[in-house]
Amino acid sequence: MVNHEAPYGSWPSPIDAGLVAAHDGRPEFLTAIGDELWWTAPRPAEGGRRTLMRLRPGDGTGAPVAESVLPAPWNVRSRVIEYGGQPFAGAPRERGGPLVVFSHFADQRLYVLTPDTASAPDAASAVDAASAPGGGEPVPLTPLGTVGGGLRFVDPLVLPDRGEVWCVLEEFTGEGPTEVRRVLVAVPLDGSAAEDRGALRELTDDAHDFLTGPRLSPDGRQLAWLVWDHPAMPWDGTELRLAEVTADGRLEAARTVLGGPQESVVQADWAADGSLLAATDRTGWWNLHRVDPGGGTPVNLCPREEEFADALWKLGHRWFAPLENGLVAVLHGRGSAQLAILDTESGELADAPGPWSEWSAALAVRGSRVAGIAAGPHSAYEIVELDTCTGHLSVLAAHHTDAVDPAFYPRPERRTFTGPDGRPVHAHVYPPHHPDHRGPQDQAPPYVIWAHGGPTGRAPLVLDLELAYFTSRGIGVAEVNYGGSTGHGRVYRNRLREQWGVVDVEDCATVARELAREGTADGTRLAVRGGSAGGWTSASSLVAPSVEGLYATAAISYPILDPAAWADGETHDFESRYTESLIGRLEEVPDRYRERSPVLLADRVSVPFLLLQGLDDVICPSEQCDRFLAEIGERVPYTYLAFEGEGHGFRRAETIIRAVEEELALYQRVFADGPRSADGPRGAAGGSTEGDGSAEGR
């Protein structure tokens, strides 16, 4: 029973910033190596590194326990296209346990690891080591790059019979962020390339700007991979390439068998019978198709107006996984991703049971079992496995445990609002919730509109302790999957084309205004927040005339603030021409860039804000924040926190704690006096703002 009345934003909560930081991040890149499961896991308290986790099969005496394979400072994470992708792979061996190859974040070299063998002095002996006790130290397989961003590797395929690892190589040819080439390469497992770039055997040329990792057919005779070129992003148009593999490991007769400028193929893989499968949006939705290697018409295996894939932000994402018996494990849904088993002959789809409403793009198959990373509105991401023979699901690792009484968790609602021109706007609404506190009966609560990053992405409906940190204190949250978001087909996704800074801003404002109109939110105590592209939307919401006066404050993290500079070389190669589809070609529509630039429109900002930035961010560099704040001057109060050692997205526990606490402090100051008149002042905070007009941590 709710017993205490207190101002919104002031409710006591056991969910503190330290708890948020400790639970930041989730398991990623789940992979089966023989009968074992491997994945990466976050370590916020260890500098934000990613460790490599291993789950061996049970021996019948009890449930197996996952173990961390690599101690600090090893950091299993690739920087290819800066967002990375599958950073490791492995192969089982008859003796000595598995052989694993991984990318180390600090130097981006590939290393070989044989965790069940004694320490080996070189790669060749590591590969050949027998089952001695102890654990081998990682041994480098690739050289250090000396130009620009160096040599980077991702999405490896370990081929012990060939003595090689096939993967994507990203090689910088100059100091600039776009002076880069990408090819598929074969890396010797014997370590002969550890100091010799010339020992890396290139499998493809660099005719395409981007490509994904290799997928070898069951008989080893064919190789499939994906390519695309500027200015397309992988959700715009990609090609599925296929080549014959010769006996000596060369590729011949490479050709395109699917895809094109207006068709996005985001995953391809081989079924056990040797047929080629691909997730393509040729119907307007990412559906699973069987592909004819000869170039014939692909067959849609389950025609539905649902997504069976999502945006390819990280190389190696896996939304479907063929099983040995011909069935295919798939993720599907509208605005969510649910695990199901697809019968490719009948097209029947059988959903997996259980409380999990969202599954990550990381499916791993072990015989008739399929494992994934799943979460729900009341549980964080766990390693879950489905036995397709019995239909039984079980949690294997990363078990969700309630760090606090779940009575403090929010109770979300799926909502669809009506935006301009009658267009639908999808959102998740999280009202303030506390087991024994409520706000004043004559007041509606403040709300924060969360704009997700991407912008070609979406906010999943899962338990997030950072979100609960605010709702348990009496501040509502609405996550908006604005036009341009994934999960609702290509038409919804394309709504943002040339309308970035317009449609996303309007859709967020639609949700905010409707929540206020219906009395769910206090219309005088609304805020907007987001990071990366969400930071752009938040900053744009402070300067766009169409939403003037709507928000009382904003929390902006590692944002794009100067789109013209971003389109003119001030970002990494992957997104260097993204604005051509989001806004238009800079040389053709310069006025459009000026009319939407938070930097150039900074004089329109009239409310206090928080700006958070990583000083190592090469995607949204801190120089944009500097220019923005120079234009702001001392007109409005703000707090700017710039963190050394952080890049695009915060990973260190101390950074996350500071950021979350500062965001709450901002809302408490701005919302402290309760509802204000709609005609009242909107630019003053209730108290002094630490760091007004200054940069901390520089």
Side-chain angles (χ1 to χ4, degrees):
M1 177 180 291
V2 177
N3 297 317
H4 305 285
E5 180 178 295
Y8 289 111
S10 71
W11 302 347
S13 173
I15 305 173
D16 60 20
L19 196 63
V20 172
H23 289 77
D24 184 71
R26 65 189 188 193
E28 277 192 296
F29 304 115
L30 182 67
T31 302
I33 302 178
D35 204 29
E36 299 182 357
L37 290 176
W38 291 66
W39 65 93
T40 67
R43 292 292 184 264
E46 299 176 13
R49 76 180 185 99
R50 303 285 304 191
T51 191
L52 191 58
M53 301 295 296
R54 175 188 192 182
L55 184 70
R56 310 174 196 240
D59 59 5
T61 62
V65 177
E67 56 189 287
S68 176
V69 175
L70 291 171
W74 292 107
N75 189 353
V76 184
R77 183 174 155 220
S78 171
R79 285 190 62 180
V80 170
I81 68 169
E82 294 301 343
Y83 293 112
Q86 181 73 38
F88 74 93
R93 299 182 299 169
E94 291 184 4
R95 295 191 309 141
L99 181 149
V100 179
V101 171
F102 69 93
S103 174
H104 178 43
F105 182 76
D107 58 18
Q108 288 300 290
R109 300 172 83 181
L110 282 183
Y111 288 78
V112 62
L113 171 69
T114 53
D116 296 339
T117 63
S119 181
D122 54 45
S125 55
V127 173
D128 295 334
S131 54
E137 288 293 316
V139 179
L141 293 178
T142 58
L144 284 168
T146 59
V147 178
L151 304 175
R152 302 171 177 181
F153 303 85
V154 75
D155 209 2
L157 174 65
V158 179
L159 302 171
D161 291 344
R162 294 183 179 273
E164 293 178 325
V165 180
W166 291 8
C167 60
V168 174
L169 163 64
E170 180 177 78
E171 180 175 24
F172 282 78
T173 58
E175 297 301 321
T178 61
E179 296 179 84
V180 62
R181 64 191 293 267
R182 298 177 184 88
V183 294
L184 294 182
V185 296
V187 179
L189 274 170
D190 63 7
S192 58
E195 305 296 337
D196 181 9
R197 166 62 181 86
L200 300 177
R201 185 170 64 89
E202 297 193 6
L203 298 169
T204 66
D205 59 26
D206 58 2
H208 296 283
D209 295 322
F210 303 96
L211 69 167
T212 63
R215 300 292 181 265
L216 194 62
S217 62
D219 61 10
R221 297 179 178 179
Q222 292 181 301
L223 191 76
W225 70 99
L226 303 177
V227 300
W228 68 97
D229 296 295
H230 282 309
M233 300 300 286
W235 41 87
D236 295 326
T238 60
E239 297 177 21
L240 172 56
R241 301 281 287 171
L242 189 64
E244 309 304 317
V245 181
T246 66
D248 58 355
R250 293 179 296 106
L251 303 185
E252 292 184 342
R255 70 265 188 203
T256 295
V257 296
L258 189 67
Q262 302 300 320
E263 180 180 352
S264 169
V265 186
V266 291
Q267 184 193 341
D269 215 330
W270 299 89
D273 64 0
S275 59
L276 183 58
L277 306 178
T280 167
D281 73 346
R282 62 189 293 114
T283 66
W285 299 82
W286 276 306
N287 280 189
L288 186 62
H289 288 66
R290 181 180 291 113
V291 181
D292 179 2
T297 302
V299 177
N300 194 336
L301 298 177
C302 187
R304 290 193 180 196
E305 290 191 346
E306 293 183 6
E307 302 285 36
F308 285 71
D310 211 298
L312 187 66
W313 279 102
K314 296 184 178 183
L315 305 186
H317 273 169
R318 201 175 192 197
W319 293 276
F320 71 86
L323 282 78
E324 296 176 353
N325 57 9
L327 301 176
V328 181
V330 298
L331 303 181
H332 74 104
R334 298 185 67 157
S336 64
Q338 173 66 41
L339 175 65
I341 302 300
L342 173 65
D343 184 327
T344 58
E345 298 301 323
S346 67
E348 293 182 0
L349 201 61
D351 284 336
W356 304 282
S357 58
E358 189 70 37
W359 292 70
S360 296
L363 297 179
V365 170
R366 301 189 292 174
S368 62
R369 296 165 294 165
V370 56
I373 305 171
H378 308 292
S379 62
Y381 285 94
E382 308 173 282
I383 307 297
V384 182
E385 187 169 63
L386 170 67
D387 186 327
T388 61
C389 295
T390 65
H392 177 70
L393 282 111
S394 56
V395 178
L396 300 183
H399 298 73
H400 170 78
T401 56
D402 292 315
V404 299
D405 185 340
F408 288 92
Y409 295 164
R411 299 176 179 178
E413 306 165 2
R414 293 184 187 270
R415 298 280 303 272
T416 300
F417 298 84
T418 302
D421 303 321
R423 65 181 184 237
V425 179
H426 304 289
H428 306 145
V429 178
Y430 297 80
H433 179 73
H434 195 286
D436 57 13
H437 276 71
R438 59 178 172 81
Q441 293 186 350
D442 60 346
Q443 294 182 17
Y447 259 78
V448 183
I449 304 300
W450 283 26
H452 65 71
T456 310
R458 63 181 176 87
L461 189 66
V462 298
L463 177 64
D464 181 346
L465 288 187
E466 183 178 8
L467 192 152
Y469 177 85
F470 296 103
T471 57
S472 63
R473 286 170 168 80
I475 299 172
V477 171
E479 291 184 308
V480 182
N481 284 314
Y482 47 80
S485 300
T486 59
H488 301 280
R490 190 173 183 117
V491 171
Y492 194 88
R493 205 164 72 238
N494 284 350
R495 187 186 294 174
L496 205 60
R497 294 187 72 86
E498 299 191 359
Q499 296 297 309
W500 195 37
V502 178
V503 164
D504 50 326
V505 170
E506 291 178 346
D507 285 0
C508 286
T510 289
V511 174
R513 286 173 173 144
E514 180 58 23
L515 291 176
R517 187 201 64 78
E518 68 188 25
T520 299
D522 176 1
T524 69
R525 293 189 290 172
L526 296 171
V528 60
R529 70 97 83 168
S532 188
W536 153 271
T537 300
S538 301
S540 297
S541 297
L542 299 187
V543 301
S546 63
V547 295
E548 184 176 5
L550 178 62
Y551 300 109
T553 189
I556 304 165
S557 301
Y558 36 91
I560 298 99
L561 295 170
D562 188 345
W566 210 66
D568 194 28
E570 202 170 73
T571 190
H572 62 144
D573 185 55
F574 178 57
E575 294 178 275
S576 61
R577 298 182 66 180
Y578 195 6
T579 56
E580 292 188 24
S581 61
L582 292 173
I583 300 177
R585 291 176 61 88
L586 177 60
E587 58 270 29
E588 295 176 0
V589 289
D591 290 346
R592 195 179 291 168
Y593 281 77
R594 287 192 290 268
E595 291 164 359
R596 300 181 194 173
S597 171
V599 165
L600 298 182
L601 301 176
D603 62 328
R604 297 188 58 87
V605 177
S606 61
V607 298
F609 62 89
L610 171 65
L611 182 59
L612 304 170
Q613 178 67 39
L615 291 177
D616 293 347
D617 193 341
V618 298
I619 297 173
C620 297
S622 60
E623 288 80 2
Q624 297 212 349
C625 292
D626 296 338
R627 293 197 291 272
F628 180 66
L629 295 179
E631 295 296 326
I632 292 291
E634 298 182 359
R635 293 185 305 99
V636 296
Y638 66 83
T639 300
Y640 177 38
L641 302 179
F643 300 99
E644 294 183 359
E646 291 283 11
H648 196 65
F650 303 146
R651 291 177 171 82
R652 298 181 175 183
E654 59 269 26
T655 304
I656 297 166
I657 290 171
R658 185 72 189 282
V660 169
E661 290 179 343
E662 287 290 344
E663 186 174 351
L664 176 63
L666 171 71
Y667 300 148
Q668 289 176 331
R669 286 192 299 268
V670 174
F671 300 151
D673 297 331
R676 292 187 294 272
S677 165
D679 298 324
R682 303 300 297 273
S688 63
T689 304
E690 179 187 0
D692 283 359
S694 68
E696 294 190 16
R698 300 301 299 267

